[in-house]
Amino acid sequence: MGKREENRRLRFEAIHRHSFQIIDEEGVEGLTIQRLAREMSWALGAVYRYYPSKEALLAALEHEAVGLVMDFLLREEETTTDPLEAIRMLAARYADLPEQLPQEFALVCLMLGDPRPHLPLEEAEKVMGAVMPFLNRVASLFRQGQELGLLQDMEPMDATLVYWMSVHGNTLIDKLDRFDATLFSRKRLIPLTVDTLLKGWSRTSRQPTELKGE
């Protein structure tokens, strides 16, 4: 990489770093090209050379955030041949995200929790495409559990989505830990949630109607 390309890369990194900081402190509404230029002490036109609009900048940030979060979740294969234990291990890794990637995970939480679309459909589809390897990995583990006779017959991706949203929802409970850090602890509740789901979906339990296979 030449000097010019390296300088350009460093400028992109600086833009993203300051943008994440603004979002962390003020939310997506606080991020504007004008606000970013002031934060970085850049001329407004200098920022526009890299991103022509807030939407383009936000798309890049969401791509980066989701990519880093998914890389963290799938950074290595689970060290077990038991699919149910692998499902638990992935959930435990998800519980580490707020500490390991706080700003990136906060943006992912915003994407999932805010009903307003922040990106055009084409960009949102690209971001969702980056999420699919994780969902497909979990679905494959549910499928293996069925093949081994550990889980009921059900649509693996349906089970995956219920699992994902249940695990993700528990990462948000830390907002209540100032009232009771033990009771409102994601590190306690996420394993409890996953164990409850797997027990309910075990071959010996009654099969949930909504997840019943054909």
Side-chain angles (χ1 to χ4, degrees), residues 168-184:
H168 182 81
N170 276 300
T171 65
L172 308 181
I173 206 164
D174 283 352
K175 295 175 68 174
L176 302 177
D177 66 0
R178 60 179 177 156
F179 302 110
D180 188 327
T182 301
L183 180 64
F184 300 110

Side-chain angles (χ1 to χ4, degrees), residues 83-84 87 135-148 151-152 154-164 194 197-198 201:
L84 303 192
I87 287 170
L135 299 183
N136 288 333
R137 172 60 183 151
V138 177
S140 74
L141 293 171
F142 277 113
R143 189 174 294 108
Q144 289 174 39
Q146 294 172 27
E147 292 169 353
L148 291 172
L151 297 174
Q152 302 166 11
M154 53 187 171
E155 173 52 51
M157 188 54 74
D158 285 350
T160 295
L161 294 177
V162 172
Y163 160 89
W164 179 34
V194 174
L197 287 175
L198 293 178
W201 292 338

Side-chain angles (χ1 to χ4, degrees), residues 25-36:
E25 295 174 356
E26 304 175 26
V28 169
E29 291 77 8
L31 177 64
T32 64
I33 300 297
Q34 293 80 0
R35 173 75 174 82
L36 180 60

Side-chain angles (χ1 to χ4, degrees), residues 38-59:
R38 289 198 305 273
E39 182 73 19
M40 300 183 68
S41 299
W42 282 19
L44 188 59
V47 181
Y48 276 120
R49 281 200 295 271
Y50 292 89
Y51 290 108
S53 66
K54 173 180 175 175
E55 289 72 23
L57 172 58
L58 192 57

Side-chain angles (χ1 to χ4, degrees), residues 146 151-160 162 200-203 205-214:
Q146 294 172 27
L151 297 174
Q152 302 166 11
D153 291 334
M154 53 187 171
E155 173 52 51
M157 188 54 74
D158 285 350
T160 295
V162 172
W201 292 338
S202 70
R203 183 69 72 176
S205 298
R206 183 179 178 182
Q207 186 163 343
T209 303
E210 293 299 323
L211 296 179
K212 188 175 181 179
E214 294 297 329

